[in-house]
Structures are given as structure tokens and as C-alpha cells.
Amino acid sequence: MSKTLAIEGGSPAKTGPYTRLPRYGEEELKELREALEQGTLFYAQGKKVYALEEAFAEWVGAKHAVACSSGTASIHTALMAAGISPGDEVIVSPITDLGSVVPILFQGAVPVFADLDPRNYTMDPSSVEENIGPKTKAVLAVHLWGNTCDLDALKDICDRRGLILIEDCAQAWGATYKRRKAGTVGRIGCYSLNEFKHIACGDGGLVCTDDDVLARRLRLATDKGYNREAGAAIRNPTFLAANYRMSELQGAVAKAQLPKVDDIVARRRRWVGELMARTADFPNILPPIPTHGCDPSWWFYMFRAAPGCDADKIAEALQAEGIPVWAHYIGQCVYEYRLFTDHLAFEHGGHAYQARVYGKGIAPVAEDILRDAIILPLHEDFTDRDLDETVEAFIKVGNWEGAKRV
Ligand SMILES: *Cc1c(COP(=O)(O)O)cnc(C)c1O
């Protein structure tokens, strides 16, 4: 006997709110107290940011790491260090946080949007290759939802075509690609510590690289070009840099958060693994398929309405069951924002991206993904009861005749 959907008058599958515990506690307080007791909150005079960088480099498996003020700053820092200059083109995903794309514009460079894989929602390597032109300098691989891009394919393209591969790992803490952590296949990996990522410090970022020269430039890029190495002439920068320094307060909290990330990811993997095993085969729902070689870290769970089904109806029916999903993720592709279609970056003066036409049709698969996408936010504290009730809701809505598009 199948149960009546809540949207049709039945009782909701979810009987209470999802479990979420406070993310900050005694460990963070202890680090913060120590930071304050140092008598300085400036990274170059303190210990917390440097300790975080060392611990992160070790955790991620890279030779160098540099902390900065946000995930957006981490990407801008990578682009500055890589020498991305006005008129250069950078290939990026049309489904991402604006923090991936804004730094490209700040460098005077032109974002070029590749299309995506329909089932894992990351950049399709063949579309990346098709979008390479004489001005292309870099590929920014966006690891959406904690699932890496096809990094072997992107690295191969970048190596063959002389491009710099940069990884946006803001949503991919703990994700691995062929046993390597996200951020260590490309030349530079970029992470975010904003309040909503796997681990957080309010706002913050980290970049990593194995390249000694790039590592030095990454540090300079976050610190106005000031060279604080012993014996160096501190002021006399050789390229344009920003102040994206991380403070000791952020460093202290991030240092306390880092040791928690593996457990956070493991718990998310277990919960989603169960969810997927129990909701694999419903006519209305297309679950995501992780990139081959990737063990994702599940920042959120994004699935698609099956062909002929309506994402809004499915989302509405799941919401009625008490499941806090929403349809269409970011609503429209980044290149459909007025910032791009109307070239609104600056009030006046020229910018290379004005010569490029942006708008609907650039990435048809990405547009289809957003039309069909439904997102279930995840948290590592979700319990077995949360799981059972979520599965019950998926069973009801996943088989519901009313989900069909009319
Ligand atoms: C969150 C996020 C960013 C930006 O990070 P902030 O710390 O918010 O600046 C960049 N890229 C992706 C994919 C993100 O999810």
C-alpha cells in the first residue's frame, strides 16, 4: 500500500527538523584565546595562520599553502600568481558561485563558459577543449557539490595546450580524485572557509601548490606584494597584488576546524551512500553520478527531475513532506546574469569582456541541468531517523504521477 503524499493531503514523511549541532566549540575557543594572548592578530607576527598553512599543506598533500581572506580571494590570488592579465581568457563553469568568476573580471580577463556533463554537473572536457582560443591562459576547474571534474582529462588538455590548471575546491573539502585530494592535480588549488562550507572560520581561504616559484607569488599576491622574507626589500612589488591576508582570529578558528574535516566528510559519505542506495530507481528522479575516479565529499545533494518531469512540482511535493529542497540551484547560468549580458562590471572605461557576447544558449546542457535541478542541503549531523524519513519522502515523490510535466 503506498502512502498518500502530503501535497495530496497525507501526513508528511518528515516529522521533525533535520539534526544540526553547533559547529564551533571549545577547540575554537582555545585557539582564539591563544591568538589574542599572542598580543598580535597579524599573521606575520603570530603563529596561528602559519600553523594553519602548514597543517593544511600536509592534509591536502601539497608542498606549499598560503592562507587568505575568502574563497573568492583564493581564486583571485591564484590568478594573480599565475600572471593572468587583461585580455587573457579563462575557461570556467557556468554553474558556480560568483566567487569563481568575479576574480577573472578583476584581472581584466575574460570568462569563457564551458558546458557541463549532464549527470555530474562538472565541466565537460570536450567543451573545455572547444572553447580554447589564442588568448586562453587558464582553466578554472570548478568541483561542484564536492565532486571533482574529470581531472585527468583537464590536466591532459592543459598540458597539451600550454594552459594553467587551477582548481576551485570551495565545495570539495575532502574530495579525492584517484586518491589525490582535490586541489593537488592542477598547478594551484583554491579553498574557501566561508560559513557554509564543510569547515569554516566565518570567512577565509587557502591556496596550495607544489611549485616553489608560484608559492612565493601566491604569498605576495595576498599581501600587497610586500616581501617579508628575511633580507628582502619589503616594498617594491613586481606585480599588482591585493590585501587578502588572513587574520590570526580566522587562522585560529580554521586551525581548530581542520582536524574535524575528515570526520565531517566521512559522515556525509555514509549518509548520502545510504540515501542513494535506497533511492536509486525511481521514475521521477535522476540521481547524480560522481565523476569516474572521484570519491565526492557531498557539499549538497543535487539530483535532476527525470525527462518529462517537472522540478518545481517535485520540489513542492518534497517540501510538503518536510524536506527542505529547492529547485533550479542558482536559477540561471552565471553568463545570464546582467553583469555579463549587459557588461556591467565597471561604469565606464574599457574591459576586454565587453567584446564577448553572453546570454542564453552558450551552454545548453548546463541550462537543462538548472531547469531540472533539485537540491537537498546536507549536514554531517543528519541521523538515521533523518535518513529514513528522507527516503520515505523520496519513495512517495519519486513514484508520484503528479510530477509529470503537462
Ligand atoms: C563558496 C564558493 C566560492 C567563494 O568562496 P567565498 O569564501 O564565499 O568567497 C567560490 N567557488 C565556489 C564553487 C564556491 O562554492
Side-chain angles (χ1 to χ4, degrees), residues 338-357:
R338 288 191 59 214
L339 177 64
F340 291 95
T341 56
D342 299 351
H343 300 101
L344 298 179
F346 297 104
E347 291 236 328
H348 52 83
H351 189 296
Y353 93 129
Q354 290 163 339
R356 198 169 184 96
V357 178

Side-chain angles (χ1 to χ4, degrees), residues 162-182:
L163 309 177
I164 301 160
L165 179 61
I166 299 170
E167 297 178 57
D168 180 347
C169 312
Q171 301 186 2
W173 280 95
T176 56
Y177 180 79
K178 302 195 173 170
R179 296 174 185 275
R180 295 168 72 165
K181 288 242 172 63

Side-chain angles (χ1 to χ4, degrees), residues 70-72 75 96-97 99-100 142 168 170-171 192 194 197 203-204:
S70 72
T72 308
I75 289 161
T96 185
D97 184 83
S100 311
V142 179
D168 180 347
Q171 301 186 2
S192 166
N194 91 15
K197 310 302 192 196
D203 268 310

Side-chain angles (χ1 to χ4, degrees), residues 69-75 95-101 142-145 168-171 191-197 202-205 299-300 329:
S69 52
S70 72
T72 308
S74 76
I75 289 161
I95 300 183
T96 185
D97 184 83
L98 262 178
S100 311
V101 186
V142 179
H143 303 324
L144 204 74
W145 63 266
D168 180 347
C169 312
Q171 301 186 2
Y191 280 78
S192 166
L193 288 153
N194 91 15
E195 191 53 39
F196 309 99
K197 310 302 192 196
D203 268 310
W299 191 54
F300 52 68
Y329 186 28

Side-chain angles (χ1 to χ4, degrees), residues 121-197:
Y121 330 134
T122 62
M123 292 150 78
D124 175 353
S126 64
S127 175
V128 169
E129 184 128 41
E130 281 161 19
N131 276 289
I132 296 172
K135 294 181 175 167
T136 310
K137 284 282 159 35
V139 174
L140 180 60
V142 179
H143 303 324
L144 204 74
W145 63 266
N147 173 65
T148 68
C149 297
D150 181 346
L151 280 167
D152 276 351
L154 293 184
K155 185 169 188 318
D156 174 63
I157 291 169
C158 288
D159 288 350
R160 274 191 288 109
R161 309 291 292 261
L163 309 177
I164 301 160
L165 179 61
I166 299 170
E167 297 178 57
D168 180 347
C169 312
Q171 301 186 2
W173 280 95
T176 56
Y177 180 79
K178 302 195 173 170
R179 296 174 185 275
R180 295 168 72 165
K181 288 242 172 63
T184 61
V185 177
R187 298 279 299 282
I188 306 174
C190 306
Y191 280 78
S192 166
L193 288 153
N194 91 15
E195 191 53 39
F196 309 99
K197 310 302 192 196

Side-chain angles (χ1 to χ4, degrees), residues 22-54:
R23 76 190 310 171
Y24 306 115
E26 287 304 320
E27 300 84 358
E28 287 75 14
L29 277 170
K30 175 172 170 289
E31 293 286 349
L32 279 169
R33 171 173 292 280
E34 286 175 13
L36 290 163
E37 286 171 354
Q38 291 176 153
T40 178
L41 294 177
F42 180 45
Y43 87 93
Q45 296 169 344
K47 293 202 162 82
K48 297 304 177 190
V49 171
Y50 286 135
L52 168 69
E53 290 170 344
E54 205 172 303

